[in-house]
Amino acid sequence: MSELRFTEDHEWLRVEADGSITVGITAYAQNALGDVVYVQLPELQPYEKGAEASTVESVKAASSVYMPLAGEVVAVNEGLNDSPERVNEDPLGEGWFFRFRPADAAAVSTLLDQDAYDRLLKANADA
């Protein structure tokens, strides 16, 4: 597994061997949401960075999942249609949302690495 990258919106990204990028929400995000009951997966199409790509609903709230970089969604995790609880059970594995091909592969390096994300979580906890 390659190194994970993160957004300030609590999405994780993993670059796959074929150059596509897998996206999901972090353990922190799924914990804050509570029990996930529905995931609206994105369409297989291009999205701009920051566009709403997906929605996740829980017993507590609904939250948007944003496109972390510009690119084209090439796959979605259809398993979440029948088992949205996978987001809670395995957020960094079977709970992934979608894969996309980035418009600029190098842009992934501009996102938060694990240390920077940990600092963000600590700052949020201290606030």
Side-chain angles (χ1 to χ4, degrees), residues 14-87:
R14 181 179 60 236
V15 178
E16 304 298 342
D18 67 358
S20 67
I21 297 175
T22 301
V23 178
I25 63 171
T26 64
Y28 173 88
Q30 68 80 23
N31 188 51
L33 280 169
D35 293 338
V36 172
V37 295
Y38 175 74
V39 177
Q40 178 184 352
L41 297 168
E43 298 292 321
L44 300 181
Q45 66 183 31
Y47 290 85
E48 292 298 317
K49 178 181 179 180
E52 182 179 317
S54 185
T55 304
V56 58
E57 295 180 14
S58 73
V59 294
K60 289 186 193 177
S63 184
S64 296
V65 176
Y66 300 100
M67 193 69 172
L69 302 169
E72 182 173 357
V73 173
V74 296
V76 296
N77 186 353
E78 298 282 353
L80 296 181
N81 290 331
D82 294 327
S83 301
E85 67 276 3
R86 289 180 183 173
V87 174

Side-chain angles (χ1 to χ4, degrees), residues 96-117:
W96 65 278
F97 283 38
F98 61 91
R99 287 196 178 101
F100 74 99
R101 293 220 176 272
D104 176 6
V108 73
S109 66
T110 66
L111 299 171
L112 302 174
D113 62 14
Q114 184 71 58
D115 289 340
Y117 185 68

